[in-house]
Amino acid sequence: MSIMMKNIPVCSLSDLRDGQMKEVTFEGEGKVLLHRLGDNVHATSAFCTHYGAPLAKGVLTADGRVVCPWHGACFNVCTGDIEDAPAPAAIHSFKTRVKDGKVYVTADPTQTLKSNMTRTPNLLTADIPSTGKGLVIVGGGGGTFHAINSLREHGYTGNITVLSKETHAPIDRPKLSKALITDASKLEWRTAADLKIKYGTTLRFGVTVTSIDTSSKQVVVDGGKESIAYDKLILAMGGTPRRLTVDGADLDNVYTFRGIEDSKKVDAAAQEGKRMVVIGSSFIGMELVVAVAKRKLASIDVIGTQEFPFEPVLGREVGKGLKKYHESQGVKFHMQSKVEKIVASESDPSQATGVVVDGQTIPADFVIMGVGVAPATEFLKQSGFQLEKDGGIKVDKYLQVMGQTDVYAIGDIAWYPQQRTGESRRIEHWNVAGNHGRAVGKTIAGQPQPFFKIPIFWSAQGQQLRYCGLGVGYDDVILNGDPGEMKFIAYYVKEGQVVAVASMQNDPVVSKASELLRLGLMPSADEVRAGKNLLDIDIASSASRARFMYA
């Protein structure tokens, strides 16, 4: 045993039921999370490596997964390995034994501290010489980061080249709209140096891929200035913000929002006394409203086409409740409205001074256009790729592009088959892109991994909104609690089945729902109406295991 290692009793076995997790102290300030699965007790770090959530408040499953209560990150309780994004790193696992009715844990006390919750990655490619042309990834977002992580974790030894329009390593993009951070170095999952040295990745920043020759397996950069050969190709370009086709949409102070440069512009504009107009009442726009709410702006106006914000995704009642909250913070809504034009300043025709809606001009010092994104696939049209009507690319269950060899597509651009229904959908969720990257990395590393994950997303709306599932086309909503009080659970129902769940201030309901959906154990709509509580459903004990091994 290392001189640093300690072997100490942390609790009585009788204090830990089958299927239960328990956070215990270790050597004073340390924390260890115990998980009991049948007769086996496992021990890991106690905190999620994404944003540090206490995993003890998450969800344990009998197949050895612990799910973060906040954002759906998931770890293997036996090894500490990442199971699901957005976890950027594994957690520590510690040896356990039971003696005289006590649970003993063997650990280096420094590894039980929250400040040291991240385990050094098991990169299985160290010092192995690369052969062949290797892998090229087009795009530098979250899907790319998780793909690199997964490729190296699972033993891929080839060269990895990333071609990105960005000027920095992959960042934690959701923080842009939630916190208006303007320094890329504060958001990078790994530094460019780490990705190069530890992960053996060549990063090419500020380059634009203009075509792909799939017959010769060449990626063409900057209109033909350079061609890069590949053995396998991952397309991960993400989305391009849409602009309305109205007069004034391209004025200098009309901003879309996607990257660091956008965050810098909005941060500079959103100063005390300024007037902000947001076109679009969905997640990005409304997160920016929350991000600037404490800056003492003169006015914040939101224009939406629905009756309530978020209505297509979250439904009328939830949208109505969240609208009530935002109004209490001084936000003025102009709903069921259409933008006619954006008015330019007479003194400076490059600047917008107002937005015309239903004949009324709303004054503005700057405008946010949050009207969605389009798949960044325009350049593929001339490269022989078959695109869907919205510009997306259809892939199979291994995320391989239909009709192409050795080409994969992940994230916002991918139409992929959904679990259980098999229907193809394109889903613009951060977690989906990350988990696509993890799955395709494993596949390319030689362990084919069909993609079957439940979509999860979250949004800062005064309180944290959580959502999981595929609620598109729902025909009913079962609502517990009051969205106007920012505390509720909403169950989205389709043909009598719960297909999605949203919540505020009810963790870990959504994390539990995501596992129930994964395992095929979600209660019916009638059971939920009758009062069935998701948190009471056993999916962690030995008795529960048989129920879902073949669900």
Side-chain angles (χ1 to χ4, degrees):
M1 186 184 299
S2 160
I3 195 167
M4 294 294 293
M5 302 295 268
K6 298 282 185 73
N7 175 242
I8 60 175
V10 291
C11 75
S12 297
L13 182 63
S14 58
D15 292 338
L16 198 62
R17 299 187 314 275
D18 180 17
Q20 183 189 5
M21 293 188 289
K22 186 179 180 68
E23 184 185 284
V24 295
T25 57
F26 191 94
E27 281 282 285
E29 295 182 11
K31 301 286 185 187
V32 168
L33 185 62
L34 302 179
H35 322 73
R36 183 170 180 179
L37 297 174
D39 294 330
N40 298 312
V41 178
H42 304 278
T44 67
S45 308
F47 304 99
C48 179
T49 58
H50 181 224
Y51 289 168
L55 291 174
K57 294 185 178 180
V59 175
L60 178 66
T61 68
D63 53 349
R65 290 161 53 93
V66 57
V67 187
C68 171
W70 292 354
H71 305 121
C74 180
F75 306 91
N76 184 299
V77 301
C78 303
T79 63
D81 290 345
I82 304 168
E83 293 273 333
D84 290 348
I91 55 177
H92 298 286
S93 63
F94 308 115
K95 288 184 178 179
T96 64
R97 67 186 179 107
V98 177
K99 182 182 177 184
D100 299 328
K102 298 279 189 184
V103 178
Y104 286 75
V105 173
T106 301
D108 176 344
T110 64
Q111 293 183 349
T112 67
L113 300 175
K114 188 173 185 179
S115 58
N116 196 16
M117 60 192 169
T118 297
R119 190 190 78 204
T120 302
N122 296 327
L123 302 179
L124 304 179
T125 56
D127 303 322
I128 299 175
S130 298
T131 56
K133 300 162 190 168
L135 169 72
V136 172
I137 307 177
V138 182
T144 292
F145 165 72
H146 286 285
I148 294 167
N149 226 3
S150 179
L151 284 156
R152 295 311 193 200
E153 279 176 22
H154 293 108
Y156 179 73
T157 61
N159 296 309
I160 301 175
T161 302
V162 174
L163 306 175
S164 173
K165 286 184 178 180
E166 311 272 18
T167 56
H168 46 74
I171 61 170
D172 187 1
R173 194 184 303 278
K175 282 187 175 178
L176 288 179
S177 56
K178 293 173 174 65
L180 272 183
I181 294 170
T182 58
D183 182 350
S185 68
K186 293 179 179 177
L187 296 175
E188 289 174 342
W189 290 113
R190 298 282 184 277
T191 64
D194 264 4
L195 288 172
K196 180 179 180 180
I197 296 165
K198 296 179 182 177
Y199 292 79
T201 301
T202 301
L203 299 171
R204 300 280 304 277
F205 296 137
V207 298
T208 302
V209 173
T210 47
S211 64
I212 295 167
D213 186 337
T214 54
S215 58
S216 64
K217 291 190 167 183
Q218 300 272 337
V219 178
V220 180
V221 174
D222 294 331
K225 289 181 181 177
E226 185 182 0
S227 292
I228 299 163
Y230 66 85
D231 292 316
K232 294 188 186 295
L233 175 67
I234 299 176
L235 301 174
M237 294 84 68
T240 301
R242 299 180 192 272
R243 281 187 184 267
L244 295 181
T245 53
V246 296
D247 288 347
D250 294 319
L251 292 171
D252 289 351
N253 59 338
V254 177
Y255 307 125
T256 55
F257 199 89
R258 183 72 177 177
I260 286 284
E261 293 307 311
D262 302 321
S263 192
K264 288 178 179 177
K265 290 174 184 175
V266 174
D267 178 63
Q271 301 300 321
E272 183 174 347
K274 298 298 184 181
R275 300 165 299 181
M276 177 171 86
V277 174
V278 178
I279 301 172
S281 61
S282 197
F283 295 99
I284 294 293
M286 294 308 300
E287 284 177 0
L288 288 171
V289 166
V290 173
V292 304
K294 306 299 184 192
R295 295 191 177 196
K296 299 181 182 177
L297 272 65
S299 59
I300 300 175
D301 290 84
V302 175
I303 303 163
T305 57
Q306 311 291 328
E307 185 176 357
F308 298 109
F310 317 109
E311 188 174 340
V313 177
L314 299 179
R316 285 176 52 83
E317 289 304 311
V318 174
K320 182 179 179 181
L322 297 183
K323 178 172 180 274
K324 175 185 169 185
Y325 165 76
H326 286 294
E327 286 175 332
S328 77
Q329 301 301 300
V331 178
K332 185 175 181 183
F333 286 89
H334 310 262
M335 302 303 290
Q336 294 177 298
S337 297
K338 184 178 180 182
V339 173
E340 294 171 22
K341 63 180 178 179
I342 299 172
V343 182
S345 164
E346 290 184 7
S347 60
D348 184 353
S350 70
Q351 297 289 308
T353 58
V355 180
V356 180
V357 176
D358 302 330
Q360 172 198 2
T361 301
I362 304 168
D365 292 303
F366 67 103
V367 178
I368 308 289
M369 200 170 281
V371 293
V373 300
T377 55
E378 190 68 27
F379 71 95
L380 294 178
K381 289 181 179 177
Q382 291 78 38
S383 299
F385 283 78
Q386 183 69 43
L387 302 182
E388 299 300 297
K389 285 182 180 179
D390 67 352
I393 308 171
K394 209 166 204 178
V395 298
D396 64 16
K397 65 180 180 179
Y398 294 101
L399 305 174
Q400 183 155 294
V401 175
M402 298 290 202
Q404 300 285 352
T405 304
D406 296 328
V407 181
Y408 301 83
I410 64 173
D412 289 0
I413 65 174
W415 279 82
Y416 69 97
Q418 302 300 305
Q419 187 176 11
R420 303 196 181 279
T421 66
E423 64 176 331
S424 281
R425 290 213 168 268
R426 191 176 65 80
I427 297 177
E428 297 167 355
H429 293 347
W430 181 246
N431 273 21
V432 170
N435 281 317
H436 276 176
R438 291 201 59 78
V440 83
K442 193 173 183 181
T443 293
I444 291 173
Q447 303 169 52
Q449 178 67 56
F451 184 80
F452 294 116
K453 299 285 186 193
I454 301 301
I456 293 176
F457 77 84
W458 65 95
S459 182
Q461 295 297 330
Q463 292 288 341
Q464 290 297 314
L465 173 77
R466 323 250 188 239
Y467 181 101
C468 75
L470 193 67
V472 64
Y474 63 85
D475 51 45
D476 195 10
V477 182
I478 304 168
L479 192 58
N480 293 340
D482 183 356
E485 299 296 323
M486 311 293 275
K487 187 170 185 177
F488 67 90
I489 306 170
Y491 303 85
Y492 299 88
V493 178
K494 189 174 183 180
E495 298 174 357
Q497 298 301 312
V498 176
V499 293
V501 178
S503 78
M504 273 186 164
Q505 299 193 79
N506 273 284
D507 295 339
V509 163
V510 164
S511 291
K512 183 66 170 279
S514 70
E515 290 299 284
L516 291 168
L517 287 166
R518 175 180 74 90
L519 298 167
L521 296 176
M522 178 63 74
S524 69
D526 287 343
E527 289 176 299
V528 171
R529 285 192 190 94
K532 187 98 171 181
N533 185 337
L534 301 191
L535 297 182
D536 292 338
I537 300 172
D538 175 18
I539 59 171
S541 72
S542 301
S544 72
R545 184 183 304 234
R547 293 174 59 213
F548 67 73
M549 289 303 283
Y550 302 102

